[in-house]
Amino acid sequence: MFVHPLRGSRARRFLNVVTFAASLTALSAHGADEFAVTAAQMQSLGVKTQKLAAPGPIEGPAYPARVVLPPRQEYVLSAPLPGVVDQLLVAPNDVVQAGQPLLRLVSPELGDLQLRLMEAGTKGKLAQQTLQRERMLAAEGIVPARRVQEAEAAAASNAAELRQAEASLRLAGMDAGSIRNVAGGGALQDALVLRARAAGTVAEVLVRTGQRVPSAEALVRIADTSKLWLDVQVPVARQAQLPAKGAVITIVGRDAAATPASLGGRVGDDQTLTLRAEVTRGVKLLRVGEFVQVRVPFASAAAGFAVPIAALARDGDKAHVFVRTTKGFIAKPVTVLASAGDAVHVSGDLAAGQEIATSSVIALRAAWQGKGGSN
């Protein structure tokens, strides 16, 4: 049977491994799992090493997420009275400040409310004047004390009517200065100027100029995008590995990050749970409603070392890494905590700063097992 000969770099690598394994008998051993490897042998085999960093999390797999606005970051401006939209003062995507005018609403009921306030103000003044006169007459003994009590009751009743009329106009959206002006007998306003309650961005204008709207009709939606959430869809099987609060969830392709906030209790039709995360960095790089990819770290990631998956040497259900020593390498057993892509997270008798082999691990494993370091 014809066997195709080994050629090129593969042939040279194979001969190097054979030569390396044969030369182990001439090298001294330094422990049950330590074996000698010279610098020349490392170069011929293509063995590369890297230093272990301090224990820390590794990026988990990527999951889809949607950018959402927290409910408390949005409000809708509604029509306090039935009327006609006289003028729109903002457009979608405009940035507004608290108290900024948004639109003018012409309403017949506005005139009625102002008239009630004006009448209540006039009655209140007359009631106070009457009360003062009755008190003077009672002090001189001209009128009985009962007249003073009746005047006090009338003044209190008129004061309550005045407060009610003022409250009705405040609920309608009239500012305090205009209310005082009307109560003092000033000119009545012909339109109601509706203002923003808080700063934000105009997400949507729900009406048009000239449109007749009933009371409580939604007019403008304002969103404060300074705080955002991510709704991450993660498989149910992954819920035991999800990180706790304080972990860093990275957003692929954006200089942005989030931290876990809560985990939904309902499983979707696609067998996923919703992990809600609060964006902590890069809010301005995200838009409400867009879909992004995020990487969720493993819950156990903080307890071990992140190493390339190529650094692992497996022997049945056991895993080892080869740590560089002064004489060569020593095989250290490790426990795989989690894996994602080309990286794994391991724990074991390791320390930050140690060098581990990251390439030609198969050759090192053959040499180690040939020395008797594996059962």
Side-chain angles (χ1 to χ4, degrees), residues 158-182:
N158 288 326
E161 291 181 7
L162 179 62
R163 290 193 298 270
Q164 183 183 21
E166 291 174 344
S168 297
L169 284 173
R170 280 197 301 271
L171 291 174
M174 182 174 286
D175 59 272
S178 299
I179 291 175
R180 286 194 299 270
N181 178 66
V182 173

Side-chain angles (χ1 to χ4, degrees), residues 12-352:
R12 289 193 295 272
R13 181 64 57 83
F14 175 76
L15 293 175
N16 287 337
V17 172
V18 173
T19 303
F20 173 52
S23 67
L24 285 175
T25 56
L27 297 173
S28 58
H30 301 275
D33 291 312
E34 186 176 9
F35 53 96
V37 180
T38 65
Q41 289 172 328
M42 287 181 60
Q43 183 176 3
S44 66
L45 290 171
V47 177
K48 296 181 181 178
T49 63
Q50 77 173 37
K51 288 186 177 181
L52 287 174
I58 59 173
E59 290 186 338
Y63 295 116
R66 183 169 183 170
V67 182
V68 298
L69 189 70
R72 61 179 178 271
Q73 297 298 116
E74 180 182 32
Y75 68 90
V76 175
L77 182 71
S78 301
L81 301 172
V84 176
V85 178
D86 179 61
Q87 186 180 12
L88 290 173
L89 305 176
V90 293
N93 300 321
D94 284 355
V95 177
V96 298
Q97 303 299 323
Q100 180 175 333
L102 302 180
L103 59 82
R104 281 170 48 91
L105 182 69
V106 177
S107 174
E109 291 190 13
L110 177 62
D112 296 338
L113 292 177
Q114 293 179 94
L115 183 58
R116 284 177 52 192
L117 175 60
M118 186 177 291
E119 291 175 348
T122 302
K123 290 180 179 180
K125 290 179 182 178
L126 291 175
Q128 289 297 324
Q129 292 173 1
T130 301
L131 176 60
Q132 292 177 3
R133 185 178 66 253
E134 294 297 331
R135 284 174 176 173
M136 290 176 57
L137 294 174
E140 296 175 0
I142 300 176
V143 297
R146 178 180 56 80
R147 294 271 297 269
V148 177
Q149 294 174 353
E150 291 175 350
E152 288 176 344
S157 177
N158 288 326
E161 291 181 7
L162 179 62
R163 290 193 298 270
Q164 183 183 21
E166 291 174 344
S168 297
L169 284 173
R170 280 197 301 271
L171 291 174
M174 182 174 286
D175 59 272
S178 299
I179 291 175
R180 286 194 299 270
N181 178 66
V182 173
L188 303 183
Q189 292 189 5
D190 59 350
L192 189 63
V193 178
L194 302 183
R195 302 175 183 272
R197 296 197 300 268
T201 302
V202 178
E204 189 176 7
V205 177
L206 303 169
V207 292
R208 63 183 184 277
T209 303
Q211 180 177 341
R212 183 176 298 276
V213 295
S215 178
E217 179 78 1
L219 305 175
V220 180
R221 188 162 59 89
I222 306 293
D224 179 5
T225 57
S226 61
K227 293 182 180 180
L228 296 175
W229 285 347
L230 295 176
D231 280 351
V232 187
Q233 303 303 315
V234 295
V236 177
R238 173 77 195 280
Q239 59 180 321
Q241 298 176 320
L242 294 178
K245 293 182 179 180
V248 178
I249 297 175
T250 57
I251 302 174
V252 179
R254 312 283 179 91
D255 184 17
T259 184
S262 63
L263 182 64
R266 181 178 181 275
V267 179
D269 294 337
D270 53 354
Q271 295 301 295
T272 60
L273 289 170
T274 299
L275 172 65
R276 176 153 291 168
E278 183 176 349
V279 179
T280 55
R281 188 182 78 246
V283 170
K284 293 184 178 180
L285 302 177
L286 303 172
R287 295 292 179 268
V288 177
E290 73 170 318
F291 286 91
V292 295
Q293 292 287 318
V294 300
R295 292 194 177 276
V296 181
F298 291 92
S300 59
F305 295 86
V307 301
I309 195 170
L312 286 186
R314 294 193 177 272
D315 182 23
D317 58 350
K318 299 179 181 179
H320 295 77
V321 295
F322 295 108
V323 179
R324 188 82 168 100
T325 66
T326 56
K327 299 297 183 179
F329 287 92
I330 183 170
K332 292 288 187 75
V334 295
T335 300
V336 177
L337 302 174
S339 63
D342 295 331
V344 293
H345 222 77
V346 299
S347 64
D349 184 18
L350 303 172

